[in-house]
Amino acid sequence: MSADHPRRAAERLNGVRGMNDVLPVDEALWQRFEDAVADAMRAYGYRRIRTPIVEHTRLFVRSIGEVTDIVEKEMYSFVDALNGENLTLRPENTAGVVRATIEHNLLYEGPQRLWYAGPMFRHERPQKGRYRQFHQVGAEALGFAGPDADAEVILLCQRLWDELGIVNARLELNSLGQSDERRAHREALIAYFEANADRLDADAARRLHGNPLRILDTKNPAMQSLVEGAPRLSEFLGGESRAHFERLQGLLRAQNLPYRINPRLVRGLDYYNLTVFEWVADVGGAPLTICGGGRYDPLIAMLGGRDAPACGFALGVERVLAMLREQDEADAAETHCNVYVVHHGDATLDAALTAAERLRDAGVDVILHCGGGSFKSQFRKADASGAQLALILGVDELARGEASLKWLRSGTQEEAASASRQESVTLERIVERVLEAMTDED
Ligand code: HAM
């Protein structure tokens, strides 16, 4: 750059707020999670479906419901400039899966067990565990009416937690009954809230006649005692709804799966009936819903398909990964690298490259230090890399046809004892000695 043209820093472009990059340091964790998901889905006979990220806006308005937070204020909707269509980045994928099931007549082949994974979009206020682009893994059991299917999707979740080593996820259950039962409850709720109109906040007043059930979900502390005293849906459930819910609970108890009935659990989407559930876990010391789902028998017919029952769930991948990270931080940070090659810059680069290539030929994962720097700073990087061994190529040693191996990791006591170990090795024996050292470590 000449003095006449001083370098002007180009404007730095950042990603969109609430939409995150997944960096290589997290790849091992994502992979472990995705493998566990694929195993669990296979174990229950679920087959993967991939639907588009963009759908017609009216699909979500009709399924999730017009008077919901998602549809009212969180959807990324836009008009396609080329043909004027109203489109939306999917805020969830139950609607998309049901749409695809109807469009491709999948239910004519019999009931379907389907699963999906991918990004979802909601314009929420970003905070820990809440993003504008986030990922869900979900499963949908379409065409099954009985509580056996509800039990199955819940057991699937539990198996996934077990597989991932998540021990503190708690299951909360409720039954929303059928629409006529909810209607009776809704009327009773409206009457109750109308009688207490002076105690409603603005949000509640607005929802009173549109969706009074959502008032029960309020986070406003000033409304809690009012909500506590409101008529409960369970008092309005008929015999069949009660029997469905009781049978589900019996099935879960028989499998020793603990749960808590939460009569306030209403979920934020309108398509549910009968069973609803959430898995709650402490992430960073605060309770967070890592997974939600339930039965949505009316949805398939609402979207133009034949009348067929269904249930399912979706989990928030970032939230589950945050738990995993907390549970085994050390593991998650680890790169899969066996040997870190430390060397003396240009004078030793040829030998370092050759040694690294020969090690890789033998199946050893190697990071070759690039960019120079003192031995001290290279060793710091070697330690941080998670490698078991450093291969050191110094000018003097190289002149003697030798290199050094240094044991790096200091996790267990035994490893700590060997961490300071260093030995010389002839260039010809590098691969052989590294392989021996790696077998010893196993
Ligand atoms: P949902 O409760 O809206 O249900 O979302 C499911 C899960 O996605 C939540 O429990 C949470 O872990 C995660 N999640 C939701 N919003 C965000 C966000 N902004 N940032 C990070 N994670 C988030 C559904 O979406 C239904 N489709 C579930 C279902 C499937 N019901 C039946 N089948």
Side-chain angles (χ1 to χ4, degrees):
M1 192 68 45
S2 85
D4 300 341
H5 299 283
R7 184 198 286 266
R8 194 144 14 97
E11 182 203 2
R12 201 178 73 171
L13 292 173
N14 291 334
V16 176
R17 187 163 128 83
M19 305 205 181
N20 300 315
D21 301 306
V22 178
L23 299 177
V25 66
D26 271 337
E27 183 53 24
L29 190 64
W30 277 73
Q31 202 62 56
R32 180 176 136 209
F33 170 77
E34 286 169 0
D35 290 348
V37 166
D39 286 349
M41 295 298 177
R42 200 176 314 113
Y44 287 80
Y46 282 70
R47 294 183 305 152
R48 186 161 184 177
I49 184 167
R50 299 172 200 257
T51 60
I53 283 168
V54 177
E55 298 272 2
H56 291 292
T57 301
R58 59 185 183 282
L59 172 69
F60 301 116
V61 176
R62 241 205 271 171
S63 55
I64 298 170
E66 224 156 336
V67 193
T68 56
D69 280 350
I70 297 178
V71 169
E72 278 183 342
K73 46 189 182 198
E74 293 171 0
M75 294 212 298
Y76 283 90
S77 298
F78 57 97
V79 179
D80 184 330
L82 298 179
N83 62 9
E85 285 185 322
N86 290 306
L87 303 176
T88 292
L89 301 186
R90 61 185 187 191
E92 61 101 58
N93 205 28
T94 305
V97 167
V98 169
R99 195 247 335 119
T101 303
I102 298 169
E103 194 166 331
H104 303 286
N105 296 319
L106 297 186
L107 282 172
Y108 287 90
E109 297 160 18
Q112 297 285 321
R113 288 181 170 87
L114 304 174
W115 75 276
Y116 55 86
M120 310 290 156
F121 302 83
R122 297 184 193 178
H123 195 104
E124 298 193 77
R125 217 163 62 83
Q127 51 189 280
K128 197 171 164 11
R130 189 175 302 274
Y131 309 104
R132 291 181 173 170
Q133 175 178 315
F134 60 98
H135 295 76
Q136 282 186 346
V137 163
E140 313 291 355
L142 303 151
F144 301 95
D148 47 355
D150 308 39
E152 181 182 274
V153 292
I154 289 171
L155 286 167
L156 198 170
C157 293
Q158 179 63 59
R159 182 171 294 271
L160 185 58
W161 311 146
D162 290 346
E163 187 70 26
L164 291 168
I166 291 175
V167 290
N168 66 351
R170 307 179 291 276
L171 175 63
E172 301 204 341
L173 275 186
N174 193 19
S175 175
L176 298 183
Q178 301 293 8
S179 59
D180 54 335
E181 294 153 1
R182 282 198 303 281
R183 206 171 306 121
H185 174 237
R186 187 189 137 103
E187 278 159 21
L189 267 186
I190 292 177
Y192 171 79
F193 285 128
E194 271 177 349
N196 293 282
D198 52 330
R199 295 169 65 191
L200 298 180
D201 64 13
D203 234 19
R206 192 173 49 83
R207 288 192 157 132
L208 178 55
H209 293 100
N211 196 348
L213 208 67
R214 297 282 292 140
I215 298 179
L216 302 177
D217 214 16
T218 178
K219 303 274 181 296
N220 183 354
M223 298 250 310
Q224 291 310 316
S225 68
L226 182 66
V227 161
E228 280 301 315
R232 298 202 163 194
L233 176 60
S234 57
E235 298 153 19
F236 293 80
L237 295 191
E240 270 186 40
S241 297
R242 275 174 210 269
H244 195 281
F245 196 36
E246 268 153 32
R247 184 75 183 110
L248 168 63
Q249 292 176 57
L251 292 170
L252 296 179
R253 277 197 303 271
Q255 296 305 316
N256 293 320
L257 202 151
Y259 60 87
R260 181 177 86 90
I261 298 206
N262 175 0
R264 293 280 170 245
L265 184 60
V266 292
R267 310 272 301 128
L269 308 94
D270 281 356
Y271 47 61
Y272 292 107
N273 73 325
L274 295 174
T275 314
V276 286
F277 63 87
E278 286 186 351
W279 290 90
V280 182
D282 297 322
V283 185
L288 206 59
T289 304
I290 56 170
C291 176
R295 184 159 277 287
Y296 49 93
D297 297 332
L299 186 60
I300 301 176
M302 268 165 57
L303 294 179
R306 66 171 183 191
D307 203 5
C311 66
F313 70 84
L315 61 84
V317 177
E318 285 79 1
R319 293 184 186 188
V320 171
L321 293 188
M323 293 187 64
L324 292 183
R325 237 179 250 117
E326 247 173 52
Q327 283 185 7
D328 53 8
E329 217 149 19
D331 254 24
E334 221 164 77
T335 15
H336 282 283
C337 159
N338 305 119
V339 176
Y340 193 100
V341 180
V342 168
H343 62 99
H344 208 112
D346 262 1
T348 53
L349 188 53
D350 284 337
L353 274 171
T354 304
E357 286 302 309
R358 281 177 45 213
L359 284 167
R360 291 179 187 125
D361 289 343
V364 179
D365 296 333
V366 182
I367 292 180
L368 172 71
H369 182 84
C370 290
S374 67
F375 270 150
K376 196 173 162 199
S377 75
Q378 292 190 45
F379 275 121
R380 224 179 289 130
K381 294 220 165 71
D383 271 328
S385 74
Q388 296 110 291
L389 295 164
L391 173 66
I392 306 150
L393 292 149
V395 179
D396 296 344
E397 278 180 300
L398 206 54
R400 295 197 300 271
E402 283 181 357
S404 294
L405 274 179
K406 185 172 168 22
W407 275 248
L408 289 174
R409 282 204 302 195
S410 52
T412 63
Q413 272 188 355
E414 222 172 292
E415 282 168 358
S418 65
S420 52
R421 201 167 124 202
Q422 184 164 336
E423 67 180 38
S424 290
V425 59
T426 59
L427 294 180
E428 295 75 42
R429 281 204 70 229
I430 287 174
V431 173
E432 193 185 336
R433 189 64 195 108
V434 165
L435 290 174
E436 277 170 14
M438 282 167 55
T439 330
D440 290 349
E441 285 240 326
D442 295 343

